[in-house]
Amino acid sequence: TGVNCRRAPKINRGGFPMFFFGKTKPDPSQPHQDWPWRLELSGYPSSQLSWEIIVSELRKLNLEDVDSFLILEQRDPKNPKEYWYIQSALAKAGPFQGQYIVGVGWSAPEHNQMWELCVSQVEQVIGYFEDAYKKKHVDLTGFEDQSDMLP
């Protein structure tokens, strides 16, 4: 198994307003304003969370460690089955070996979603994580739907 880092067709995953009693339903492909963050480093929960730690750990991603990855995740405090995350690792093989894989995923009623993009510079990865961490809109243009790889 591996991550497909071929050049993805451009898509727009913008928000979609759904009105119910005058309220707009949040876009599930975006970070949730009221859900707390949790940081996982190489498969282990981090006891500390700050923007500085996230940037430092993204810069430490490498090809040598088997489990070199970072996940910034949110779970709905009222329903832990509902989640949103952004993750990154380096592609370890294939034509994009050494490039950063940025993945964004979220729970969905029909089928959970996972979208990925390969980028060459850690600064690009940091930009996606910054938007997520600050709970801003994460631009998923260029990300490729990899949801069929989920169980």
Side-chain angles (χ1 to χ4, degrees), residues 25-100:
K25 186 174 180 178
D27 181 347
S29 73
Q30 295 298 314
H32 296 266
Q33 297 300 313
D34 55 344
W35 292 4
W37 286 117
R38 182 176 150 233
L39 180 62
E40 203 171 290
L41 305 171
S42 300
Y44 297 98
S46 175
S47 60
Q48 297 180 348
L49 174 62
S50 71
W51 176 239
E52 292 75 23
I53 290 171
I54 293 168
V55 171
S56 173
E57 293 296 330
L58 286 170
R59 291 185 191 284
K60 291 179 188 175
L61 292 175
N62 64 74
L63 293 171
E64 291 75 38
D65 294 334
V66 175
D67 289 326
S68 181
F69 63 91
L70 184 147
I71 302 172
L72 184 61
E73 179 186 51
Q74 295 180 304
R75 289 202 177 261
D76 183 346
K78 298 173 189 162
N79 180 1
K81 292 182 179 181
E82 299 291 321
Y83 62 86
W84 187 93
Y85 67 85
I86 184 168
Q87 63 185 6
S88 189
L90 284 163
K92 300 202 184 290
F96 294 94
Q97 181 176 357
Q99 288 199 15
Y100 293 87

Side-chain angles (χ1 to χ4, degrees), residues 110-124:
E110 321 78 45
H111 190 270
N112 293 337
Q113 298 292 303
M114 180 175 71
W115 293 72
E116 293 182 339
L117 176 72
C118 287
V119 296
S120 59
Q121 302 295 318
V122 71
E123 297 305 321
Q124 295 168 284

Side-chain angles (χ1 to χ4, degrees), residues 1-5 93 101 114 116 146 149:
T1 72
V3 175
N4 182 356
C5 287
I101 305 159
M114 180 175 71
E116 293 182 339
Q146 298 290 326
M149 294 175 59

